[in-house]
Amino acid sequence: MELSIAQHVFSNYFDAAQVIDYSVVNNGLINKTYKLDTSQGIYILQEINQKVFNEPELALENIKRVSIWLKEHEFNYAFPTPIHFTYKFFFDKLWRLLPYINATSYNEIKNKKMVSNATVCIADFYRILDQFPVQDLHFTIPHFHHGKYYIDEFHKALNHCSSERKSQAIQEINHIKSALDELVYFDEVVRQLPNRVVHFDTKISNFLFDEDFNVKALIDLDTLMPGSILSDVGDMIRTYSNKLGEESTDFDRIKADPETVETIVDSILQHTQLTDLEKNHLFFAGKAITLMQSIRFLTDFLKGDVYYAVNHPFHNLNRAKNQFIIYDSMN
Ligand code: GN1
Ligand code: MG
C-alpha cells in the first residue's frame, strides 16, 4: 500500500487530517492490516478481503448490534468497532478504520495466565450475550464451520488439483481421509446445540493483552454470527494449546499441551451456563476445530492457495500438517 492511499482513505474519515507514516501489521490471514501514525493519533486501517467477506454490510450490522449490547451490559474488555460504523470503497478495495488499542497480540502462549484470562473474557462474552436476540444476526458466511462443507470442498479440490500438488500432499491427504467421520459427527452435535452469538475466530492472536497478560480487547469481529459455542471453545483450544503456534514447522516437537486444554475447559465450565450436551463436547470441540483447520489449509494448498495468504508454495501444506499433528496429539 502507498502512503497516498492511506491518506486518501483517512481523509474521508477525518477532514484535513494527515497520515504521517504507516506500518504493516502481520495479524490475520485474510484481511490486510496497517497501523497508521496520524495527526489525530494512531489508528488501524484494514483492507477487507471481499472474496471471503462478500456481505460486508451484513457483517457490519452484526458487529454494530453486538457491540451496542456489550456496551450496554458493561463488557469489561475493549471491543474495537469500525469508526463511524462505515466502510469506504476506493481503488476497487473496501476499507475501514478502527481505533488503535495499545496492547499486544501473540501467536503463541507465553504463560498460563494468558489462558485463564482469555477464557474468563470469552466466558464473560457468553454470559452477557446470553439474552441477546440471536435471531436478529445474519449468517454472513453460511457454511462457516460446517464439517460437511469442508469435506465436500476437500473432495472437489482432490478431483481438480494438479498431480504435483497431490503427490506433495499425499501423506496429509491420507491423514485427513482417515479422520473425516469426526467432522460429520461435529455437524451432528452442533445441530442439537443452542444457537448463540459466536465470535467464530477466537484464535489466540485475536485477544490483545497488556504487559501483565490481562486481556485488554477482543478483536477481529467479521465472523460474529449465530453458531455453537463449540466453534469458539474449539478454536481457543486449537491455538492456546499449540505452544509453538500454527506456523511452526518443527513437526517433531508440535503437540497440544494437555494442561492448557484442561484449563480452558475447566474455566469455561466454571464461568458459563451451558447445556449438558455443550458441556460434554468441549474437549471434542478442540479436536474437531483443529481437524477442520487442517482440512481447510490442506484444501487451500490443493486449490493453489486461493484463500489464505501464503509466503511460499508449501505454506498451507505445512500449516495443514501442523494442525493435523495437534489434532492427533489430542486423542
Ligand atoms: C482466518 O483472518 P484470520 O487470520 O483472523 C480464518 C479463520 C482461521 C484462521 C487460521 C474468515 O482468520 O477461520 O481459523 O485464519 N478466517 C476466515 O489462522 O476464514
Ligand atoms: Mg479473522
Side-chain angles (χ1 to χ4, degrees):
M1 184 186 67
E2 284 166 30
L3 189 63
S4 60
I5 295 180
Q7 179 65 63
H8 188 85
V9 180
F10 196 71
S11 308
N12 255 275
Y13 283 92
F14 298 109
D15 289 350
Q18 292 297 310
V19 178
I20 300 156
D21 202 1
Y22 79 89
S23 54
V24 176
V25 179
N26 286 318
N27 182 350
L29 308 184
I30 309 284
N31 293 329
K32 289 188 186 145
T33 306
Y34 307 91
K35 181 177 166 190
L36 304 187
D37 186 8
T38 82
S39 55
Q40 308 272 111
I42 304 176
Y43 282 87
I44 294 293
L45 176 67
Q46 283 191 311
E47 181 199 324
I48 300 165
N49 183 322
Q50 298 176 75
K51 245 182 1 194
V52 173
F53 301 111
N54 52 24
E55 300 203 275
E57 289 308 321
L58 298 187
L60 187 58
E61 251 177 63
N62 285 355
I63 294 175
K64 195 170 178 181
R65 286 189 178 143
V66 172
S67 65
I68 289 171
W69 184 278
L70 288 175
K71 203 166 177 192
E72 281 172 5
H73 295 80
E74 292 169 16
F75 186 51
N76 267 328
Y77 306 86
F79 196 70
T81 52
I83 304 274
H84 302 157
F85 285 112
T86 46
Y87 296 166
K88 311 269 181 185
F89 194 74
F90 290 123
F91 318 108
D92 275 343
K93 291 179 172 156
L94 194 62
W95 304 89
R96 70 176 162 213
L97 202 60
L98 293 149
Y100 171 73
I101 308 281
N102 187 14
T104 310
S105 162
Y106 295 91
N107 291 318
E108 310 89 29
I109 58 165
K110 301 292 169 207
N111 51 50
K112 208 177 152 183
K113 199 174 168 193
M114 284 174 76
V115 183
S116 40
N117 286 344
T119 317
V120 169
C121 167
I122 205 72
D124 212 34
F125 177 86
Y126 282 109
R127 185 184 55 76
I128 291 178
L129 291 165
D130 198 46
Q131 299 302 316
F132 180 93
V134 66
Q135 66 281 1
D136 290 354
L137 294 184
H138 309 286
F139 286 91
T140 50
I141 310 181
H143 59 258
F144 208 54
H145 288 197
H146 285 193
K148 169 91 166 53
Y149 172 82
Y150 296 114
I151 294 171
D152 290 349
E153 289 299 299
F154 170 63
H155 285 131
K156 275 193 238 164
L158 274 179
N159 288 334
H160 293 104
C161 70
S162 72
S163 53
E164 196 192 1
R165 289 228 161 191
K166 198 183 218 164
S167 67
Q168 286 160 341
I170 195 67
Q171 200 188 350
E172 282 63 47
I173 292 171
N174 289 333
H175 281 154
I176 289 289
K177 279 184 174 170
S178 71
L180 292 177
D181 283 353
E182 199 115 60
L183 294 178
V184 175
Y185 179 65
F186 178 78
D187 288 353
E188 250 172 66
V189 175
V190 167
R191 270 195 289 276
Q192 300 168 56
L193 298 183
N195 248 350
R196 297 179 182 271
V197 180
V198 170
H199 180 286
F200 267 117
D201 200 5
T202 51
K203 64 184 194 182
I204 181 166
S205 55
N206 285 336
F207 294 80
L208 303 187
F209 293 88
D210 70 11
E211 58 282 0
D212 296 323
F213 300 102
N214 298 308
V215 177
K216 291 269 290 203
L218 182 58
I219 63 167
D220 195 3
L221 313 176
D222 293 306
T223 47
L224 276 176
M225 269 183 283
S228 98
I229 194 171
L230 301 194
S231 285
D232 284 353
V233 175
D235 213 34
M236 289 187 76
I237 292 175
R238 174 182 86 78
T239 53
Y240 280 81
S241 75
N242 186 349
K243 287 186 157 182
L244 301 182
E246 77 180 7
E247 294 289 326
S248 175
T249 53
D250 195 352
F251 298 122
D252 292 336
R253 288 181 54 233
I254 293 170
K255 185 180 179 302
D257 174 48
E259 205 193 327
T260 302
V261 179
E262 256 169 56
T263 306
I264 293 173
V265 171
D266 288 350
S267 178
I268 290 283
L269 287 173
Q270 193 188 333
H271 298 284
T272 326
Q273 288 273 333
L274 300 177
T275 65
D276 285 345
L277 201 59
E278 286 174 320
K279 286 182 195 163
N280 295 337
H281 285 87
L282 298 181
F283 283 106
F284 170 72
K287 285 183 65 184
I289 295 298
T290 309
L291 176 64
M292 190 181 282
Q293 195 60 61
S294 183
I295 195 174
R296 291 175 68 195
F297 282 141
L298 181 60
T299 302
D300 200 34
F301 173 77
L302 296 173
K303 285 184 178 173
D305 307 316
V306 292
Y307 190 89
Y308 297 106
V310 290
N311 299 331
H312 59 85
F314 292 103
H315 206 156
N316 273 323
L317 182 59
N318 288 343
R319 289 167 174 155
K321 193 166 173 175
N322 171 310
Q323 295 295 292
F324 195 85
I325 296 172
I326 290 289
Y327 158 73
D328 208 30
S329 71
M330 285 176 187
N331 282 312

